[in-house]
Amino acid sequence: MKRKYIIYTIVIAMIAFASCKKEGFLNRLPLSDISPQNFFKDESDLQVYCNQYYSNLPAQTLVDADDNSDDKANLSINQFLDGTYTVPNSGGGWDFSFVRTLNFFLANYNRANISTDIKNIYVGETLFFKAMDYWNKVKTFGDVPYISTYITDTSKSVLYGTRMPHKQVMDSVLKDINFAVDNLPVNAADGRLNKYCALALKARICLWEGTYRKYFVTGDETTYLQAATDAAEQIMNSGSFSLYTTGNPQSDYYNLFIQDELKGNPEAIMPMRYLTNILTNDVDRELGQSGDGYSKDFVRSFLCTDGLPTSLSPLYKGDDSLDAEIKNRDPRLAQQIATRGFDFLNGDIITLPRIGTTVTSTGYQPIKGRSSSQAAWNANQSTYDFFIFRYAETLLIEAEAKAELGQCTQATLDATINKLRDRVGMPHMIIANLVKDPKSDFPGLPVLIDEIRRERRVELGSEGFRFDDLHRWNAGTLINNPETILGVKLLPAVRAEYPPDQVSGIVVDANYYVRVYPNITTRTWDNKLYLYPIPLQEITLNPNLKQNPGW
């Protein structure tokens, strides 16, 4: 079954590569090569056309993920957060060619001589991708032109219109993803979207939009927050998914991300899969030499094994060494960063954090998705699968949406957060026992929402969600925290244990924490960074487009 799936995936990838090259706003995909009168005849034609969408699925490869947030400080500084990003002349993500591809299908699928139910499956696939694409555009640019029809030479004036308001675009996104949920089958053909994939995307989108509307005070957030919890609960109540566990809290979380086969894994709502000599990736090797590193701020967010934050727990041993820092901490910490004894590669054992190398920038070396396998390290030979939609995220969405709605009970936590904690042997989150962390990033928030956000940060580290979270919470100022660009503490006695040439260029602050960027002690958040700028060429082509604030 796996070989069949992988071959199918390659076919999709080849079609997508041939059909979905990035083009400018006014350029066309080669849709004119397809004659609607001769192509959209039967289900096979609809399926072949929809194949090209699948390369756009958001597989979580983990490489450099979250480098654009407070969780990471890569050796290569993030230009966007550093304030050195400039308005591009073209490109910059402002691309509507995929929308045109989707709209071409929607304009022609009805020509197929098949039942409406079958047609609607492929309309559901198309609207799934349209919802995802427009949501990503809204996150990136805010208000965007919403194009609902296939544009021809006689209708291209729509390209020169104004941008549709954020909320109005997202209402159309919700309508599109609801159609996908209602029309995609529960049991789809192997490798194709099903109802639960659509529900997972809907939950993700609606949590983002609901909290965005709440924390940016734009109104009407309840509809989206309720839609998020409704979608999450449909997945939870299906009985088809659960958290992966073998009963070993010290390794199950780590092992979840280095699996050759996620098909059949109960946590995989949808996986991206690989197979030797058929379809492989280079992610394991890239993770080992990307110069990446978790920040001091991220590491500090992990609770101690008594369920208390480091600022309150008597179990916290301080951070004079990484050995002390991980002691008595949430097991997910030692399963996300390389600690003493970790096998870097085929018997190459970590002793000291490998700062001063391309392995890690901060000393907190990310190992999520990283193994000691020589076979996985070999160039482009890894067959570790990736998650596209992971059940753990669904549980976190349910908990957060319920808390934002004021509906989160102990039963809610027991069905969500506490299942995540059971996997790693952490104490349950008990509402009656929650104590506000005096060093909380969100001092004005209720403690329940604060702690759910912490759980999300810890569980989803390196999965690419963090900047989107800071955005929707209106929390970009967290980037100002100096600890977001600091690494491990490097005391003089510890520094002496390293080869001099390895640490000769390492700079530390007054408290001996590694400064990843020697000339920068802190970053300065600017609210314009919630949105990217529109490329200059697009504003020249369409005077009705107005640049985003601050750019």
Side-chain angles (χ1 to χ4, degrees):
M1 287 298 291
K2 185 167 185 178
R3 182 181 178 87
K4 175 182 177 184
Y5 179 95
I6 295 300
I7 292 174
Y8 175 68
T9 302
I10 292 175
V11 171
I12 290 176
M14 290 174 65
I15 293 172
F17 183 78
S19 304
C20 289
K21 292 181 180 179
K22 296 294 184 184
E23 301 188 26
F25 188 98
L26 297 178
N27 292 338
R28 291 186 178 187
L29 290 166
L31 299 179
S32 57
D33 294 343
I34 298 175
S35 170
Q37 292 80 4
N38 297 325
F39 182 74
F40 291 98
K41 303 185 302 296
D42 52 31
E43 181 179 3
S44 177
D45 286 352
L46 301 188
Q47 184 180 105
V48 167
Y49 189 92
C50 291
N51 285 348
Q52 67 185 296
Y53 308 155
Y54 277 73
S55 65
N56 292 278
L57 283 169
Q60 296 161 5
T61 65
L62 308 175
V63 177
D64 296 339
D66 293 322
D67 283 357
N68 62 341
S69 76
D70 53 348
D71 280 0
K72 295 275 195 71
N74 193 286
L75 279 174
S76 299
I77 192 168
N78 184 276
Q79 290 186 321
F80 194 66
L81 298 182
D82 182 40
T84 58
Y85 185 87
T86 58
V87 180
N89 185 57
S90 61
W94 187 269
D95 188 291
F96 289 78
S97 57
F98 186 43
V99 171
R100 189 169 190 270
T101 300
L102 299 167
N103 285 341
F104 185 76
F105 177 89
L106 295 173
N108 290 288
Y109 77 92
N110 257 326
R111 297 175 182 273
N113 187 24
I114 54 178
S115 71
T116 300
D117 287 347
I118 294 176
K119 289 179 186 177
N120 283 347
I121 292 173
Y122 299 101
V123 176
E125 290 191 7
T126 303
L127 293 180
F128 172 98
F129 284 99
K130 190 170 184 180
M132 184 177 71
D133 188 73
Y134 263 107
W135 173 52
N136 286 329
K137 284 177 167 52
V138 166
K139 287 189 298 177
T140 305
F141 298 108
D143 302 346
V144 293
Y146 188 82
I147 304 169
S148 58
T149 59
Y150 175 63
I151 297 172
T152 64
D153 287 339
T154 59
S155 61
K156 63 183 180 182
S157 61
V158 72
L159 295 174
Y160 300 97
T162 58
R163 296 198 280 173
M164 181 181 286
H166 169 139
K167 291 176 69 174
Q168 193 174 343
V169 176
M170 289 306 297
D171 287 344
S172 293
V173 166
L174 181 57
K175 180 180 177 181
D176 288 345
I177 194 61
N178 279 339
F179 186 96
V181 168
D182 292 340
N183 289 277
L184 288 173
V186 170
N187 299 306
D190 197 16
R192 299 201 81 87
L193 292 170
N194 60 40
K195 182 183 187 72
Y196 297 118
C197 300
L199 284 167
L201 179 62
K202 178 180 176 179
R204 182 183 292 180
I205 289 174
C206 289
L207 179 69
W208 191 93
E209 181 64 12
T211 48
Y212 177 94
R213 292 186 180 200
K214 178 176 180 177
Y215 291 102
F216 281 84
V217 199
T218 66
D220 306 315
E221 67 268 18
T222 301
T223 297
Y224 282 85
L225 292 170
Q226 190 61 55
T229 186
D230 290 346
E233 287 177 3
Q234 285 188 63
I235 297 172
M236 294 166 64
N237 294 337
S238 71
S240 298
F241 307 98
S242 61
L243 297 180
Y244 165 83
T245 180
T246 67
N248 190 335
Q250 301 303 317
S251 61
D252 278 344
Y253 180 84
Y254 168 76
N255 287 333
L256 176 63
F257 300 96
I258 53 168
Q259 298 201 15
D260 276 319
E261 181 55 270
L262 284 177
K263 179 177 170 61
N265 186 301
E267 197 160 339
I269 297 174
M270 189 175 197
M272 178 65 186
R273 301 169 64 207
Y274 296 86
L275 185 68
T276 303
N277 298 326
I278 302 295
L279 183 66
T280 57
N281 66 75
D282 202 34
V283 169
D284 193 88
R285 190 184 188 100
E286 290 181 64
L287 287 170
Q289 55 188 18
S290 64
D292 213 2
Y294 285 120
S295 67
K296 167 62 66 177
D297 184 62
F298 175 74
V299 171
R300 197 182 295 281
S301 68
F302 285 74
L303 297 172
C304 292
T305 51
D306 55 6
L308 293 174
T310 57
S311 58
L312 295 174
S313 175
L315 299 180
Y316 181 52
K317 300 299 182 182
D319 61 358
D320 281 354
S321 70
L322 186 54
D323 293 337
E325 194 167 12
I326 66 167
K327 192 173 181 61
N328 302 328
R329 303 290 291 281
D330 184 326
R332 284 171 290 191
L333 178 55
Q335 293 177 65
Q336 290 197 63
I337 65 171
T339 55
R340 188 183 300 274
F342 179 76
D343 189 346
F344 178 76
L345 179 63
N346 198 25
D348 178 12
I349 305 300
I350 295 285
T351 52
L352 295 171
R354 295 188 173 178
I355 49 175
T357 72
T358 58
V359 172
T360 178
S361 53
T362 64
Y364 299 121
Q365 177 193 334
I367 58 170
K368 196 170 187 175
R370 176 80 183 84
S371 77
S372 61
S373 166
Q374 184 67 55
W377 175 268
N378 292 338
N380 208 31
Q381 291 298 307
S382 177
T383 56
Y384 292 147
D385 290 350
F386 304 138
F387 288 98
I388 296 171
F389 296 110
R390 181 160 79 93
Y391 184 59
E393 182 202 352
T394 299
L395 299 183
L396 290 162
I397 290 171
E398 167 73 355
E400 186 178 349
K402 285 284 194 184
E404 293 288 1
L405 288 166
Q407 300 171 3
C408 184
T409 65
Q410 189 59 49
T412 303
L413 294 181
D414 291 342
T416 57
I417 300 295
N418 290 334
K419 289 188 179 296
L420 297 172
R421 292 192 173 192
D422 284 341
R423 169 159 57 193
V424 294
M426 279 291 287
H428 280 190
M429 183 184 292
I430 307 298
I431 293 176
N433 297 342
L434 289 176
V435 179
K436 188 72 173 181
D437 184 351
K439 294 186 178 180
S440 167
D441 286 334
F442 307 102
L445 277 184
V447 64
L448 177 59
I449 294 177
D450 194 355
E451 291 303 317
I452 289 172
R453 289 186 181 185
R454 182 201 300 272
E455 195 75 21
R456 180 179 174 89
R457 187 182 193 184
V458 165
E459 177 68 28
L460 300 181
S462 267
E463 293 184 44
F465 292 104
R466 185 63 178 177
F467 183 80
D468 282 353
D469 289 345
L470 297 182
H471 186 176
R472 65 189 176 89
W473 295 331
N474 198 3
T477 53
L478 293 185
I479 295 299
N480 296 339
N481 183 344
E483 289 195 346
T484 68
I485 52 174
L486 292 182
V488 296
K489 183 177 284 189
L490 187 61
L491 293 170
V494 177
R495 190 184 190 108
E497 297 181 48
Y498 285 89
D501 60 333
Q502 182 177 326
V503 294
S504 60
I506 298 297
V507 176
V508 298
D509 69 5
N511 296 309
Y512 298 105
Y513 293 115
V514 169
R515 287 176 52 189
V516 181
Y517 314 118
N519 297 321
I520 300 174
T521 57
T522 186
R523 294 178 291 192
T524 302
W525 176 259
D526 187 322
N527 281 341
K528 76 175 186 178
L529 301 179
Y530 284 125
L531 298 176
Y532 277 74
I534 299 173
L536 298 175
Q537 177 179 289
E538 302 301 335
I539 295 176
T540 300
L541 289 170
N542 180 6
N544 286 314
L545 294 178
K546 304 302 179 185
Q547 186 58 274
N548 278 326
W551 293 100

